């Protein structure tokens, strides 16, 4: 009978231990798992329909996609699709170099303000056809200037990325405008006609 009591006691202690591990993983490990799985700032599988770019001291730049990307703020106009693609590629393909959780910041006595993420100089907001908008903030660069600090809405961590990402995402509105007259590239043109004033039509064929 004593052996049965010991067996039951050990069984109950084992159950309690497993329950404690489950609670610890739920409340302490959940965020860590989400952070570790985020290898880039933005989800590469998400279909982005609009992008807002806010640079400190400048009006908002807003891009909207229907059949093609177009600029709606601060002025309407057509945009260079390659510039927009480089921006989205920078957010979805640039690998994260390091992650500092908010819990780790608290432990070492730092806050997001130390990385200019309380009032970031650059904020991009991505909106998809479904789901919540994703706000991505860029703060200060590291002392070496080789990396930059960033934060993502809904994730309790500070990310460290190569600072070259800023070349792709920090683009003023006037540099996004399409410079060419035609939507197709020269490799797609098989011929064209030119008429000047009342003169005759000139046809060119490749």
């Amino acid at each position: 009978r004593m052996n049965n009591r010991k067996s039951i006691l050990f069984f109950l202690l084992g159950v309690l231990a497993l329950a404690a591990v489950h609670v610890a993983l739920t409340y302490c490990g959940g965020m860590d798992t989400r952070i570790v799985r985020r290898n880039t700032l933005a989800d590469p599988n998400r279909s982005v329909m609009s992008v807002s770019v806010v640079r400190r001291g400048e009006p908002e730049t807003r891009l909207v996609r229907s059949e093609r990307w177009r600029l709606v703020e601060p002025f309407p106009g057509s945009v260079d699709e390659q510039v927009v693609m480089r921006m989205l590629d920078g957010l979805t393909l640039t690998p994260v170099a390091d992650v500092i959780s908010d819990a780790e910041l608290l432990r070492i006595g730092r806050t997001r303000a130390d990385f200019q993420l309380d009032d970031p100089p650059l904020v991009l907001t991505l909106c998809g056809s479904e789901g919540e908008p994703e706000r991505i903030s860029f703060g200060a660069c590291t002392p070496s200037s080789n990396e930059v600090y960033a934060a993502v809405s809904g994730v309790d961590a500070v990310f460290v990325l190569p600072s070259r990402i800023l070349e792709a995402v920090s683009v003023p509105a006037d540099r996004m405008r399409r410079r060419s007259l035609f939507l197709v590239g020269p490799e797609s043109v098989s011929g064209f006609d030119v008429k000047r004033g009342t003169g005759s039509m000139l046809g060119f064929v490749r």
Side-chain angles (χ1 to χ4, degrees):
R1 185 174 296 178
M2 183 64 68
N3 290 335
N4 290 339
R5 289 180 178 178
K6 287 184 178 179
S7 299
I8 293 173
L9 179 61
F10 287 137
F11 174 76
L12 292 176
L13 289 175
V15 170
L16 289 175
L18 289 175
V21 171
H22 175 73
V23 171
L25 289 176
T26 300
Y27 290 97
C28 299
M31 180 58 68
D32 291 340
T33 301
R34 180 170 60 172
I35 292 172
V36 169
R37 288 179 179 176
R38 183 178 285 270
N39 298 318
T40 59
L41 288 180
D43 183 359
N45 298 315
R46 188 180 191 188
S47 178
V48 179
M49 303 303 295
S50 69
V51 179
S52 168
V53 183
V54 178
R55 295 153 55 92
R56 184 187 294 161
E58 299 182 12
E60 175 191 12
T61 297
R62 190 157 64 92
L63 303 159
V64 175
R65 187 180 72 175
S66 50
E67 292 183 0
R68 295 179 178 273
W69 283 100
R70 57 188 175 88
L71 189 65
V72 295
E73 294 290 346
F75 46 79
S78 57
V79 298
D80 186 340
E81 298 264 334
Q82 294 300 317
V83 173
V84 182
M85 290 301 102
R86 281 195 295 270
M87 177 185 296
L88 295 177
D89 284 348
L91 297 172
T92 58
L93 298 179
T94 303
V96 171
D98 196 10
V99 183
I100 311 171
S101 69
D102 283 359
E104 177 66 12
L105 290 178
L106 183 63
R107 190 185 68 80
I108 63 177
R110 306 290 294 275
T111 67
R112 294 194 179 200
D114 295 319
F115 309 101
Q116 294 185 21
L117 289 170
D118 58 330
D119 181 24
L122 175 65
V123 178
L124 286 85
T125 303
L126 309 182
C127 295
S129 54
E130 58 184 23
E132 294 293 324
E134 192 169 36
R135 186 175 185 265
I136 300 173
S137 305
F138 290 90
C141 286
T142 59
S144 66
S145 297
N146 293 327
E147 295 172 317
V148 63
Y149 297 105
V152 179
S153 58
V155 181
D156 297 335
V158 171
F159 296 89
V160 184
L161 297 99
S163 57
R164 65 176 182 272
I165 189 177
L166 296 175
E167 299 175 5
V169 301
S170 183
V171 182
D174 58 348
R175 284 179 49 199
M176 294 183 181
R177 301 178 69 174
R178 182 165 55 85
R179 305 299 180 183
S180 60
L181 293 176
F182 306 104
L183 295 177
V184 297
E187 68 281 353
S188 303
V189 177
S190 58
F192 62 93
D193 298 328
V194 177
K195 183 177 182 181
R196 182 175 181 181
T198 59
S200 59
M201 183 79 72
L202 297 177
F204 298 86
V205 177
R206 184 169 64 179

